[in-house]
Amino acid sequence: MQKRIFTVLFFIVSFFSMADDGSRLWLKYDLIKDQKQKLSYQKYTKFISISANHPTLQKTAEELQMGFAGLLGTKTNIVSNNSQAGGVVLEVSTNQALTNDLANDGFAIFAQKGNLVISSKSEAGVLYGAFELLRRIQTGQSLNENIVSSPKIKIRMLNHWDNANGTVERGYAGSSIWKWNELPFRIDPRYIAYARANASLGINATSINNVNASSRFLTAEYLEKIKAVADVLRPYGIKVFISVNFRSPRTLGGLKTSDPLDPEVRKWWNEKTKEIHQYIPDFGGYLVKANSEGEPGPQDYGRTHADGANMLAEAMKPFSGIVIWRAFVYNADPNGDRFKEAYEQFKPLDGKFDEKVIVQVKNGPIDFMPREPFHPMFGNFPNTKLGIEFQITQEYLGQSTHLTYLAPMFKECLDTDTYSKGKGSTVAKVIDGSLYNNPNSLIAGVANTGSDANWCGHPFNQANWYAFGRLAWDYTLSSEKIANEWIGMTLTNDEKAKIQINEIMQKSLPTYISYTYPLGLHHMMGEGHHYGPEPWLTKAARPDWTSIYYHKADSVGLGFDRTGKLSNAIKLYSKEINETWGNPEKCDLNYLLWFHHIAWNKKLSTGNTLWEELCYRYYNGVVEVQKLQKDWLKLQPYIDTETFASVNARLKTQEKESIWWRDACVLYFKDFSKMPIPNSLTPPNRSLEEVKKIVEIYHLR
Ligand code: GCW
C-alpha cells in the first residue's frame, strides 16, 4: 500500500516538475484549472459526431477528443450521425444559413439543439473550425456567440529551404525535420505534429525542399519519400509542392539542353509531371527559383521567365496543380540598383504568364531585411497573379538568439497603401486577389522549423510561425491579438503576465531595428552567414553583396539616394508615395535612408541632426534590450522553468550583441561624419579595430 502511494506521489511530483521542452508548440492542451470555465466547456463533451467517413473528419474528431481529454479531463467518444444533445457535431454542408457566404475553407460554429455544430463546405474547413474551438477553449473564451470565419487568401503556404543532406538553408533550429534517409518507411511522429500545427492555423500548402533545388527531389527514389510525407499531410488539408531545379532535363533526363522552348525538354517535363501525380495525385505544384543567385533558368537559353514558367504550366495542364515562379532576381551590376531589378525584368512580361502561374514576390525589393518598403511590383502588375513571400526564419532578424516578434513587420507591409487603384489599394488587397480579381491568391512564408525539440530554436520564434499562419488566414487580425492567443496557448493564461509578455513582444521589433538598422539603413550584416554587423564590408563575390553598396556613407552623409541621382527607384511607386517617401522632409524616418542620402548635419523632424539621431537610436536599442531583460525576469513565476531559462539566456546574448551592433556601426560611421558621439552617451569602450576582430572570428575556418 505504502509503496503504491509512493509511486503515485512520485508520478504526480515528476509530472508537475517536468520541464516543458516546447515540442507541443501552441497545442499543449494542459488541464484547465478554473473549475467554472471547465464546466462551461464540458457542456459539449458527451460525444463528437461525424457525418461521413472521411480521413479529415476522422482527424478532426481525434483532435477534439485529444483536446477535450487534456483541457477538460473528459473522455469523449467519436460517433457517427448522432441524434442526441450535448456534443460537438462535425458536418460538411452547403445549406446552412451561416455557411452560405463562406469561402470553401471557411467555417461556422454555432449552438443547435443542445449541440455545438462545426460546419463548413469542405472537410478542411471543419478541421479549421475545430482548431478554432480548441483555441477558444485554450484561451478561456466563451462559446456563447456564433463564430463565422473565412480565409482571405487561398493558398497559405510554408516554403522549406531544406536540403536533401538534412541541412536547412538559413535554418537556425537544428537540421531538417524531413528525415530523407528514413523515408519512405519510417514516418517520424513529428510529421504528424507538424501537420497538426499547420492545420491549426489554416496553412494548407508546403513546399518541401530548398528553392536552391537539387534535381534529386525529382527522382523516383525521392518521389516515393515525398509521397510518404504527402500521405501524412493530406488528411490535415495540406498539399505538397516541390522546388525544382530548372536544369533537371539535363541533369536527370540526360537531354542536351533545358531550353524551355525545346520540344524534348517540354516532353520531359510533361512526363515528369505525370509521374509525380502517380505518387501524389493531388500534387500542389512546382516552386521555382530561376536565374537568381546562380540558379539555372530560361535566360540561360535566351528565353524569358514567362517562357520557363509557361512550359511548366503546360505540363501541369491536365492536373489541378500550379506553378509558383519566384521574382527574386537581380544581376551583379555595380552601377545598377538591386531595388529595381525584379521589377524591370518582370514588367515586360506582365500579362504573358499562363493562368496557372503565380509570381511569388518577396515583401520587399532587396531581400528580407528587417524593415523594407513594400516591393514596388505590388500594384504595378495588373495582368499577373502575384503572391507574397515573407521570411519566418530570421536570417536578418536575430536568427535564434534575438527576441523579435515579426507580426508587426508582416502587417506593416500588408497594410501599406500602393494607391495603384486609388486610396485603399493596400498590398494585402493586391495579394488576396480582390484588387485585380485574382482567384488564385497566395501567401508564403519561409519556414523556421528544424529538428530542435522546440522546433524553432528561440522559444519566441514559435510565435512567428504562429503569427504568419494566423495572418495568412486573416491579415486584419491585430498583432496584439495574435500574440495574446499565442501567449495564452504557449506560455501562460495569467492575465497580468499576458499583458506584460505581449508588451515585450510588441517592443521587440522596433528594439531590434534600433540597434541594427535604424532610420532605414539596410544590408550591413556579416558576409555569408548574415549575422552580426559588418558595415565596412567593401568587397564580396558581387558588389551588391557588400554593405557599402547600400549605406553609401561618405563625408557628406548617409543613405541610398533613390530619387534620381544614383537610381530613380522611387519612381516605381505611385505619385502619392513619391510625395511622402520621395521627399526627405516628409519621408517616414523609418524609411529615410532607403530613399535618401542625408547630410550628417541635416536637422531631422525630431530636432536632432542625422548623426545625433543615428547615435541615439543605436544607443536606445541597447537600453531597450536591457529593459526587455528586466521585464522578462519579473515573469519567472508564470513561465515554465526550461522556457524561462532559455529566453533569459538568449536575452543575455542579445544584450551583448546589441552592444556589438551599436559599437560597430557608431564607430564605423563616426569616421565618415567626423562628429563626436553626443555628450549624453557613453562612448564605446573599444576601438573600431577591436570590434572588427569579432567579425573576423566569425569568418575563421
Ligand atoms: O536571402 C537570400 C538568402 C539565400 C536564399 C535567397 C532566396 C534560398 O541569403 O540563402 O536562398 O535569399 O530567397 O532565394
Side-chain angles (χ1 to χ4, degrees), residues 327-390:
F328 178 65
V329 296
Y330 57 105
N331 299 328
D333 177 1
N335 302 314
D337 180 2
R338 178 170 163 189
F339 196 110
K340 298 191 295 188
E341 292 188 32
Y343 185 105
E344 285 177 347
Q345 281 194 39
F346 278 79
K347 189 62 185 171
L349 305 176
D350 186 24
K352 300 228 159 78
F353 288 96
D354 185 279
E355 57 174 25
K356 268 187 175 288
V357 178
I358 301 181
V359 174
Q360 179 170 294
V361 183
K362 286 191 181 181
N363 59 287
I366 300 294
D367 205 339
F368 292 121
M369 294 288 124
R371 177 177 255 132
E372 296 216 16
F374 70 90
H375 201 300
M377 284 178 74
F378 296 122
N380 277 318
F381 283 66
N383 304 310
T384 306
K385 297 186 176 78
L386 296 188
I388 197 166
E389 173 177 353
F390 287 109

Side-chain angles (χ1 to χ4, degrees), residues 161 169-170 210-212 289 293 326 328 362 367 395-396 530:
W161 285 357
E169 178 148 355
R170 310 303 176 191
N210 192 356
V211 288
N212 292 333
K289 172 175 178 178
E293 300 186 328
R326 296 177 86 227
F328 178 65
K362 286 191 181 181
D367 205 339
E395 177 177 0
Y396 305 106
H530 293 176

Side-chain angles (χ1 to χ4, degrees), residues 4 156 300 344 372 392 432 449 486 514-515 519 605 691:
R4 209 187 295 157
R156 306 170 296 276
D300 304 347
E344 285 177 347
E372 296 216 16
I392 310 170
D432 73 7
T449 48
W486 178 79
S514 188
Y515 64 77
L519 296 167
S605 55
V691 183

Side-chain angles (χ1 to χ4, degrees), residues 79 183 311 349 409 447 572 620 632 660 671 685:
V79 300
L183 284 163
M311 168 194 66
L349 305 176
M409 189 179 84
L572 304 181
N620 195 42
W632 182 250
W660 174 28
D671 284 350
N685 58 10

Side-chain angles (χ1 to χ4, degrees), residues 395-677:
E395 177 177 0
Y396 305 106
L397 280 133
Q399 301 188 356
S400 57
T401 30
H402 296 222
L403 196 167
T404 324
Y405 174 52
L406 299 183
M409 189 179 84
F410 299 156
K411 275 189 74 78
E412 184 170 309
C413 172
L414 292 166
D415 290 346
T416 311
D417 205 336
T418 68
Y419 293 96
S420 56
K421 275 192 163 181
K423 202 167 162 28
S425 309
T426 58
V427 172
K429 288 196 178 140
V430 176
I431 294 314
D432 73 7
S434 58
L435 208 61
Y436 293 106
N437 196 20
N438 159 20
N440 226 4
S441 48
L442 163 77
I443 182 166
V446 179
N448 65 351
T449 48
S451 60
D452 279 9
N454 76 354
W455 298 85
C456 303
H458 197 306
F460 274 85
N461 288 8
Q462 290 183 0
N464 293 331
W465 178 5
Y466 185 86
F468 168 78
R470 294 291 282 143
L471 288 172
W473 181 272
D474 181 359
Y475 54 75
T476 67
L477 294 173
S478 73
S479 50
E480 288 81 5
K481 179 179 161 45
I482 295 170
N484 227 28
E485 289 175 2
W486 178 79
I487 299 164
M489 290 189 278
T490 313
L491 297 176
T492 173
N493 260 310
D494 180 275
E495 283 308 321
K496 255 177 52 203
K498 265 166 99 169
I499 295 171
Q500 285 163 14
I501 300 170
N502 208 323
E503 271 171 19
I504 290 180
M505 291 170 75
Q506 300 307 324
K507 279 191 205 150
S508 63
L509 180 71
T511 297
Y512 181 82
I513 291 176
S514 188
Y515 64 77
T516 55
Y517 293 103
L519 296 167
L521 282 169
H522 47 285
H523 207 295
M524 313 188 299
M525 64 288 167
E527 188 181 11
H529 50 73
H530 293 176
Y531 195 73
E534 204 171 342
W536 47 84
L537 184 64
T538 319
K539 278 210 185 82
R542 311 169 41 142
D544 46 8
W545 284 351
T546 67
S547 299
I548 56 156
Y549 177 97
Y550 298 94
H551 63 61
K552 308 257 186 246
D554 58 21
S555 60
V556 178
L558 180 65
F560 199 135
D561 180 359
R562 294 193 160 100
T563 64
K565 281 162 221 121
L566 279 168
S567 137
N568 59 355
I570 189 78
K571 287 284 174 297
L572 304 181
Y573 291 111
S574 67
K575 177 170 95 343
E576 290 84 346
I577 288 180
N578 270 271
E579 280 163 11
T580 52
W581 289 353
N583 178 346
E585 303 299 330
K586 291 197 189 147
C587 184
D588 179 341
L589 290 187
N590 289 321
Y591 293 108
L592 188 65
L593 303 177
W594 272 101
F595 296 108
H596 304 282
H597 191 72
I598 302 286
W600 294 111
N601 58 4
K602 159 102 186 146
K603 267 240 155 76
L604 305 182
S605 55
T606 55
N608 302 317
T609 64
L610 172 71
W611 169 244
E612 288 164 343
E613 187 66 27
L614 196 74
C615 292
Y616 290 141
R617 292 199 182 204
Y618 273 114
Y619 272 77
N620 195 42
V622 173
V623 173
E624 288 299 322
V625 177
Q626 289 159 345
K627 281 194 201 149
L628 291 186
Q629 276 184 309
K630 288 204 189 97
D631 291 343
W632 182 250
L633 283 179
K634 288 187 224 147
L635 289 159
Q636 184 159 18
Y638 307 100
I639 311 284
D640 150 80
T641 45
E642 187 172 333
T643 310
F644 176 82
S646 164
V647 174
N648 201 35
R650 286 169 210 265
L651 280 166
K652 285 185 189 153
T653 309
Q654 185 174 349
E655 189 207 5
K656 187 174 158 212
E657 294 179 349
S658 68
I659 299 172
W660 174 28
W661 268 94
R662 181 196 71 188
D663 290 356
C665 297
V666 167
L667 291 171
Y668 172 74
F669 289 130
K670 188 170 172 289
D671 284 350
F672 292 91
S673 80
K674 306 255 184 302
M675 291 180 186
I677 291 170

